[in-house]
Amino acid sequence: MYIGSWRRSYLGITIASRDLEQLCSVSETVRVKSGAWDSCNRIFLYTTLNHVKYCLANGDTGIIRTLDVPVYITKAHQKQLYCLDREYKIRIISVDNTEALFKLALEDKNYPEVMNMIKHSRLCGRAIIAVSYTHL
């Protein structure tokens, strides 16, 4: 179990263990608007003014998608984000968290899943090589 929070300045994310041991800290150049753990995976999804991003407990981060308008995450479940916009309307946003799942599989040394994702997903070739190189 992990805890994810954004600092008072809102310019970063801190991931901690259940015992509040800091596992990683990620700085952002723009304010973090909201965040939530994916209920099915160990992926912390968060929003900035223009992006949906992810952070893993080991400090790996990435951009999942660009946003048209700022949203505030209320729940993250598999490939969907449940959010509120600035007019308090509920928005359900589809996300492709394949890159984060790929990094988790590498971290867990789940090589059959890694090979399956390489064969059947839409991961960019350079991204696969760069991530695989840093984890192997």
PDB file of all heavy atoms in Angstrom, residues 59-78:
ATOM      1  N   GLY A  59       9.539   6.056  -8.893  1.00  0.00           N
ATOM      2  CA  GLY A  59       9.885   7.372  -9.417  1.00  0.00           C
ATOM      3  C   GLY A  59       9.707   7.529 -10.913  1.00  0.00           C
ATOM      4  O   GLY A  59       9.860   8.629 -11.438  1.00  0.00           O
ATOM      5  N   ASP A  60       9.381   6.450 -11.625  1.00  0.00           N
ATOM      6  CA  ASP A  60       9.124   6.564 -13.067  1.00  0.00           C
ATOM      7  C   ASP A  60       7.862   7.388 -13.287  1.00  0.00           C
ATOM      8  O   ASP A  60       6.857   7.204 -12.604  1.00  0.00           O
ATOM      9  CB  ASP A  60       8.936   5.185 -13.701  1.00  0.00           C
ATOM     10  CG  ASP A  60      10.238   4.470 -13.952  1.00  0.00           C
ATOM     11  OD1 ASP A  60      11.288   5.135 -13.989  1.00  0.00           O
ATOM     12  OD2 ASP A  60      10.219   3.238 -14.105  1.00  0.00           O
ATOM     13  N   THR A  61       7.938   8.287 -14.256  1.00  0.00           N
ATOM     14  CA  THR A  61       6.797   9.143 -14.569  1.00  0.00           C
ATOM     15  C   THR A  61       6.586   9.190 -16.076  1.00  0.00           C
ATOM     16  O   THR A  61       7.451   8.778 -16.842  1.00  0.00           O
ATOM     17  CB  THR A  61       7.023  10.584 -14.063  1.00  0.00           C
ATOM     18  OG1 THR A  61       8.167  11.122 -14.727  1.00  0.00           O
ATOM     19  CG2 THR A  61       7.206  10.635 -12.562  1.00  0.00           C
ATOM     20  N   GLY A  62       5.463   9.722 -16.472  1.00  0.00           N
ATOM     21  CA  GLY A  62       5.196   9.901 -17.886  1.00  0.00           C
ATOM     22  C   GLY A  62       3.902  10.657 -18.106  1.00  0.00           C
ATOM     23  O   GLY A  62       3.088  10.807 -17.197  1.00  0.00           O
ATOM     24  N   ILE A  63       3.734  11.125 -19.331  1.00  0.00           N
ATOM     25  CA  ILE A  63       2.507  11.810 -19.732  1.00  0.00           C
ATOM     26  C   ILE A  63       1.604  10.800 -20.406  1.00  0.00           C
ATOM     27  O   ILE A  63       2.025  10.078 -21.317  1.00  0.00           O
ATOM     28  CB  ILE A  63       2.808  12.980 -20.688  1.00  0.00           C
ATOM     29  CG1 ILE A  63       3.660  14.032 -19.984  1.00  0.00           C
ATOM     30  CG2 ILE A  63       1.513  13.596 -21.218  1.00  0.00           C
ATOM     31  CD1 ILE A  63       4.149  15.145 -20.886  1.00  0.00           C
ATOM     32  N   ILE A  64       0.363  10.749 -19.972  1.00  0.00           N
ATOM     33  CA  ILE A  64      -0.605   9.827 -20.566  1.00  0.00           C
ATOM     34  C   ILE A  64      -1.373  10.496 -21.692  1.00  0.00           C
ATOM     35  O   ILE A  64      -1.561   9.930 -22.746  1.00  0.00           O
ATOM     36  CB  ILE A  64      -1.565   9.284 -19.490  1.00  0.00           C
ATOM     37  CG1 ILE A  64      -0.774   8.393 -18.530  1.00  0.00           C
ATOM     38  CG2 ILE A  64      -2.711   8.517 -20.123  1.00  0.00           C
ATOM     39  CD1 ILE A  64      -1.584   7.794 -17.424  1.00  0.00           C
ATOM     40  N   ARG A  65      -1.816  11.714 -21.458  1.00  0.00           N
ATOM     41  CA  ARG A  65      -2.549  12.428 -22.499  1.00  0.00           C
ATOM     42  C   ARG A  65      -2.625  13.911 -22.182  1.00  0.00           C
ATOM     43  O   ARG A  65      -2.382  14.342 -21.066  1.00  0.00           O
ATOM     44  CB  ARG A  65      -3.949  11.852 -22.708  1.00  0.00           C
ATOM     45  CG  ARG A  65      -4.874  12.013 -21.524  1.00  0.00           C
ATOM     46  CD  ARG A  65      -6.286  11.589 -21.807  1.00  0.00           C
ATOM     47  NE  ARG A  65      -6.927  12.572 -22.662  1.00  0.00           N
ATOM     48  CZ  ARG A  65      -8.081  12.391 -23.257  1.00  0.00           C
ATOM     49  NH1 ARG A  65      -8.730  11.264 -23.114  1.00  0.00           N
ATOM     50  NH2 ARG A  65      -8.605  13.320 -24.005  1.00  0.00           N
ATOM     51  N   THR A  66      -2.998  14.676 -23.199  1.00  0.00           N
ATOM     52  CA  THR A  66      -3.201  16.111 -23.065  1.00  0.00           C
ATOM     53  C   THR A  66      -4.672  16.365 -22.757  1.00  0.00           C
ATOM     54  O   THR A  66      -5.542  15.625 -23.221  1.00  0.00           O
ATOM     55  CB  THR A  66      -2.799  16.825 -24.375  1.00  0.00           C
ATOM     56  OG1 THR A  66      -1.437  16.500 -24.657  1.00  0.00           O
ATOM     57  CG2 THR A  66      -2.936  18.319 -24.256  1.00  0.00           C
ATOM     58  N   LEU A  67      -4.931  17.412 -21.993  1.00  0.00           N
ATOM     59  CA  LEU A  67      -6.306  17.777 -21.649  1.00  0.00           C
ATOM     60  C   LEU A  67      -6.723  19.043 -22.390  1.00  0.00           C
ATOM     61  O   LEU A  67      -5.912  19.953 -22.581  1.00  0.00           O
ATOM     62  CB  LEU A  67      -6.412  18.045 -20.144  1.00  0.00           C
ATOM     63  CG  LEU A  67      -6.203  16.860 -19.226  1.00  0.00           C
ATOM     64  CD1 LEU A  67      -6.094  17.326 -17.782  1.00  0.00           C
ATOM     65  CD2 LEU A  67      -7.344  15.875 -19.376  1.00  0.00           C
ATOM     66  N   ASP A  68      -7.995  19.091 -22.780  1.00  0.00           N
ATOM     67  CA  ASP A  68      -8.543  20.301 -23.392  1.00  0.00           C
ATOM     68  C   ASP A  68      -8.871  21.345 -22.326  1.00  0.00           C
ATOM     69  O   ASP A  68      -8.686  22.536 -22.531  1.00  0.00           O
ATOM     70  CB  ASP A  68      -9.812  19.983 -24.184  1.00  0.00           C
ATOM     71  CG  ASP A  68      -9.531  19.055 -25.354  1.00  0.00           C
ATOM     72  OD1 ASP A  68      -8.418  19.118 -25.903  1.00  0.00           O
ATOM     73  OD2 ASP A  68     -10.426  18.269 -25.712  1.00  0.00           O
ATOM     74  N   VAL A  69      -9.394  20.868 -21.199  1.00  0.00           N
ATOM     75  CA  VAL A  69      -9.748  21.742 -20.071  1.00  0.00           C
ATOM     76  C   VAL A  69      -9.232  21.092 -18.791  1.00  0.00           C
ATOM     77  O   VAL A  69      -9.095  19.872 -18.721  1.00  0.00           O
ATOM     78  CB  VAL A  69     -11.281  21.955 -19.966  1.00  0.00           C
ATOM     79  CG1 VAL A  69     -11.811  22.704 -21.174  1.00  0.00           C
ATOM     80  CG2 VAL A  69     -12.004  20.641 -19.798  1.00  0.00           C
ATOM     81  N   PRO A  70      -8.941  21.878 -17.773  1.00  0.00           N
ATOM     82  CA  PRO A  70      -8.485  21.294 -16.512  1.00  0.00           C
ATOM     83  C   PRO A  70      -9.580  20.437 -15.878  1.00  0.00           C
ATOM     84  O   PRO A  70     -10.757  20.794 -15.915  1.00  0.00           O
ATOM     85  CB  PRO A  70      -8.197  22.510 -15.628  1.00  0.00           C
ATOM     86  CG  PRO A  70      -8.036  23.648 -16.560  1.00  0.00           C
ATOM     87  CD  PRO A  70      -8.906  23.344 -17.737  1.00  0.00           C
ATOM     88  N   VAL A  71      -9.181  19.306 -15.319  1.00  0.00           N
ATOM     89  CA  VAL A  71     -10.114  18.428 -14.609  1.00  0.00           C
ATOM     90  C   VAL A  71      -9.490  18.005 -13.288  1.00  0.00           C
ATOM     91  O   VAL A  71      -8.275  18.077 -13.099  1.00  0.00           O
ATOM     92  CB  VAL A  71     -10.501  17.183 -15.442  1.00  0.00           C
ATOM     93  CG1 VAL A  71     -11.268  17.556 -16.681  1.00  0.00           C
ATOM     94  CG2 VAL A  71      -9.281  16.346 -15.784  1.00  0.00           C
ATOM     95  N   TYR A  72     -10.359  17.542 -12.394  1.00  0.00           N
ATOM     96  CA  TYR A  72      -9.944  17.109 -11.064  1.00  0.00           C
ATOM     97  C   TYR A  72     -10.367  15.652 -10.876  1.00  0.00           C
ATOM     98  O   TYR A  72     -11.566  15.349 -10.883  1.00  0.00           O
ATOM     99  CB  TYR A  72     -10.574  18.023 -10.009  1.00  0.00           C
ATOM    100  CG  TYR A  72     -10.194  19.467 -10.251  1.00  0.00           C
ATOM    101  CD1 TYR A  72     -10.962  20.277 -11.079  1.00  0.00           C
ATOM    102  CD2 TYR A  72      -9.045  19.995  -9.690  1.00  0.00           C
ATOM    103  CE1 TYR A  72     -10.594  21.590 -11.334  1.00  0.00           C
ATOM    104  CE2 TYR A  72      -8.659  21.306  -9.931  1.00  0.00           C
ATOM    105  CZ  TYR A  72      -9.440  22.097 -10.757  1.00  0.00           C
ATOM    106  OH  TYR A  72      -9.071  23.387 -11.007  1.00  0.00           O
ATOM    107  N   ILE A  73      -9.385  14.775 -10.733  1.00  0.00           N
ATOM    108  CA  ILE A  73      -9.653  13.339 -10.638  1.00  0.00           C
ATOM    109  C   ILE A  73     -10.340  13.021  -9.320  1.00  0.00           C
ATOM    110  O   ILE A  73      -9.898  13.448  -8.254  1.00  0.00           O
ATOM    111  CB  ILE A  73      -8.343  12.527 -10.746  1.00  0.00           C
ATOM    112  CG1 ILE A  73      -7.643  12.784 -12.068  1.00  0.00           C
ATOM    113  CG2 ILE A  73      -8.614  11.042 -10.545  1.00  0.00           C
ATOM    114  CD1 ILE A  73      -6.261  12.155 -12.168  1.00  0.00           C
ATOM    115  N   THR A  74     -11.421  12.246  -9.395  1.00  0.00           N
ATOM    116  CA  THR A  74     -12.071  11.738  -8.195  1.00  0.00           C
ATOM    117  C   THR A  74     -11.831  10.251  -8.025  1.00  0.00           C
ATOM    118  O   THR A  74     -11.830   9.748  -6.912  1.00  0.00           O
ATOM    119  CB  THR A  74     -13.588  12.010  -8.218  1.00  0.00           C
ATOM    120  OG1 THR A  74     -14.161  11.380  -9.361  1.00  0.00           O
ATOM    121  CG2 THR A  74     -13.876  13.505  -8.251  1.00  0.00           C
ATOM    122  N   LYS A  75     -11.607   9.540  -9.152  1.00  0.00           N
ATOM    123  CA  LYS A  75     -11.360   8.101  -9.095  1.00  0.00           C
ATOM    124  C   LYS A  75     -10.638   7.682 -10.368  1.00  0.00           C
ATOM    125  O   LYS A  75     -10.915   8.207 -11.444  1.00  0.00           O
ATOM    126  CB  LYS A  75     -12.684   7.334  -8.983  1.00  0.00           C
ATOM    127  CG  LYS A  75     -12.530   5.836  -8.938  1.00  0.00           C
ATOM    128  CD  LYS A  75     -13.869   5.138  -8.860  1.00  0.00           C
ATOM    129  CE  LYS A  75     -13.688   3.628  -8.875  1.00  0.00           C
ATOM    130  NZ  LYS A  75     -14.962   2.927  -8.805  1.00  0.00           N
ATOM    131  N   ALA A  76      -9.719   6.726 -10.218  1.00  0.00           N
ATOM    132  CA  ALA A  76      -9.036   6.136 -11.372  1.00  0.00           C
ATOM    133  C   ALA A  76      -9.280   4.635 -11.316  1.00  0.00           C
ATOM    134  O   ALA A  76      -9.013   3.997 -10.295  1.00  0.00           O
ATOM    135  CB  ALA A  76      -7.546   6.441 -11.321  1.00  0.00           C
ATOM    136  N   HIS A  77      -9.805   4.096 -12.400  1.00  0.00           N
ATOM    137  CA  HIS A  77     -10.106   2.665 -12.453  1.00  0.00           C
ATOM    138  C   HIS A  77      -9.772   2.139 -13.842  1.00  0.00           C
ATOM    139  O   HIS A  77     -10.396   2.550 -14.825  1.00  0.00           O
ATOM    140  CB  HIS A  77     -11.574   2.412 -12.127  1.00  0.00           C
ATOM    141  CG  HIS A  77     -11.953   0.971 -12.119  1.00  0.00           C
ATOM    142  ND1 HIS A  77     -11.542   0.108 -11.127  1.00  0.00           N
ATOM    143  CD2 HIS A  77     -12.680   0.241 -12.984  1.00  0.00           C
ATOM    144  CE1 HIS A  77     -12.016  -1.095 -11.384  1.00  0.00           C
ATOM    145  NE2 HIS A  77     -12.709  -1.047 -12.507  1.00  0.00           N
ATOM    146  N   GLN A  78      -8.751   1.258 -13.896  1.00  0.00           N
ATOM    147  CA  GLN A  78      -8.268   0.656 -15.123  1.00  0.00           C
ATOM    148  C   GLN A  78      -7.938   1.726 -16.158  1.00  0.00           C
ATOM    149  O   GLN A  78      -7.019   2.490 -15.973  1.00  0.00           O
ATOM    150  CB  GLN A  78      -9.248  -0.384 -15.632  1.00  0.00           C
ATOM    151  CG  GLN A  78      -9.330  -1.575 -14.718  1.00  0.00           C
ATOM    152  CD  GLN A  78     -10.302  -2.616 -15.202  1.00  0.00           C
ATOM    153  OE1 GLN A  78     -11.211  -2.348 -15.973  1.00  0.00           O
ATOM    154  NE2 GLN A  78     -10.111  -3.829 -14.724  1.00  0.00           N
TER     155      GLN A  78
END
